[in-house]
Amino acid sequence: MNAMDAKIAVAQFKPSPFLDKVLDNNLLTHLAIMKQAGQCGVTLLVFPEMSLSGYELERADTNPLTPSHVAIQTLQQQAEQLNLSIIVGAPWFNPNGKPYIASLLIRPHLPLLVYCKMHLHAGEEKYVSRGHSYLDFEHHGLHIGMAICADTTHSSHPLHYAHLQADVYVASVLITEQGYAKDSSLLQQYAKEHQLMVMMANFCGVSGGWEATGKSCIWANNGAVLAQAEATTDMCDDVDFQLLLVEQIQGVWQAMSHAGTSINS
């Protein structure tokens, strides 16, 4: 793994509780987090599952995103201003049926790439369709594979990227306290088995009726914990988001964290 000036990060934040303004409010939070990440020199920033819309499955088909959506255009503009690549989550328009749960890879001066969740949790199929294609990309000398939540419960998913000699496995998730021990153990296991750095971005707080537990985490490619965010219950009331950052210094990945308040608080 030879990262050329890469500083990669996961964002953990409290999603907006106001359903009538959820996308607008979450967009403002994304922009605030991106600004801080840019000030820290981050080159790739990963957000949780359905980070723009919140995990609001019953509303997924009301306004699924398309490439021309104003939110995507706004994020693209800020990404170019900050020279920052981001992975954000939202329902994605499907011309052949129910929308997808998607992660959107937005990069400065490059085309939008969209990964659609391939493995659904029980009940999600009522509202969304399954994706059918993996997505991996190059970033500053790193080969990165993308995942969304339930994808990570299928060992074949990270194995696919390992066969492609990926360096990093990024997972955008919504994980509750009840599921955290099992899900995080799997991700740590993948790091060890496949020599992958594994990055998991989780919400902190309630979204779609589920209480996300926070504790976003980055594991080194030997399974060691490089950085972990606070649990939802431990976060201060005046802190809306946390950033976990890792960068390679003299061949060794080192971590730091930052906390902040979004501009719509």
Side-chain angles (χ1 to χ4, degrees):
M1 187 187 298
N2 183 21
M4 299 180 293
D5 301 319
K7 184 181 287 188
I8 50 182
V10 298
Q12 173 175 297
F13 73 96
K14 299 175 183 177
S16 173
F18 304 109
L19 292 186
D20 59 333
K21 298 180 180 179
V22 64
L23 194 146
D24 290 342
N25 287 348
N26 285 341
L27 176 59
L28 291 175
T29 298
H30 280 63
L31 296 173
I33 296 173
M34 289 172 67
K35 183 177 180 180
Q36 178 153 342
Q39 292 170 349
C40 296
V42 171
T43 59
L44 174 65
L45 177 60
V46 183
F47 286 89
E49 178 178 21
M50 297 181 79
S51 58
L52 282 171
S53 62
Y55 187 75
E56 306 293 341
L57 289 179
E58 294 183 359
R59 299 167 58 92
D61 65 348
T62 60
N63 190 24
L65 271 59
T66 64
S68 61
H69 195 284
V70 65
I72 295 176
Q73 303 305 315
T74 301
L75 291 168
Q76 181 72 47
Q77 182 178 21
Q78 176 123 324
E80 293 177 359
Q81 289 174 350
L82 298 171
N83 196 29
L84 170 65
S85 297
I86 59 172
I87 296 175
V88 302
W92 189 250
F93 178 72
N94 175 8
N96 299 313
K98 291 174 284 191
Y100 299 108
I101 293 175
S103 283
L104 316 179
L105 174 60
I106 299 173
R107 300 169 293 173
H109 310 293
L110 288 172
L112 174 72
L113 295 179
V114 181
Y115 171 73
C116 297
K117 188 176 184 178
M118 300 173 68
H119 302 280
L120 302 181
H121 286 296
E124 287 184 337
E125 72 281 353
K126 180 179 178 182
Y127 304 102
V128 295
S129 299
R130 298 177 187 273
H132 302 289
S133 301
Y134 295 91
L135 180 58
D136 57 291
F137 64 100
E138 298 291 328
H139 178 79
H140 288 245
L142 296 172
H143 187 181
I144 300 175
M146 294 173 62
I148 303 174
C149 209
D151 289 330
T152 68
T153 65
H154 296 258
S155 60
S156 60
H157 199 267
L159 181 61
H160 171 86
Y161 293 121
H163 284 162
L164 297 177
Q165 298 183 317
D167 302 302
V168 186
Y169 186 57
V170 296
S172 299
V173 305
L174 188 159
I175 298 177
T176 65
E177 181 61 27
Q178 291 73 21
Y180 188 86
K182 180 179 179 181
D183 290 347
S184 62
S185 178
L186 280 175
L187 291 169
Q188 186 173 39
Q189 178 182 330
Y190 299 149
K192 293 178 184 177
E193 287 185 1
H194 305 310
Q195 290 79 56
L196 290 165
M197 181 189 291
V198 175
M199 308 182 68
M200 180 262 282
N202 194 20
F203 284 117
C204 54
V206 177
S207 188
W210 298 91
E211 172 112 22
T213 193
K215 294 189 282 189
S216 299
C217 195
I218 302 174
W219 292 269
N221 63 0
N222 62 2
V225 174
L226 286 174
Q228 186 176 45
E230 291 183 340
T232 299
T233 52
D234 295 334
M235 288 186 67
C236 297
D237 291 340
D238 60 348
V239 173
D240 288 335
F241 66 83
Q242 287 186 280
L243 283 175
L244 300 181
L245 294 72
V246 290
E247 63 178 326
Q248 205 172 52
I249 300 175
Q250 297 182 338
V252 178
W253 285 100
Q254 299 185 21
M256 64 187 77
S257 64
H258 293 268
T261 301
S262 65
I263 57 178
N264 61 307
S265 294

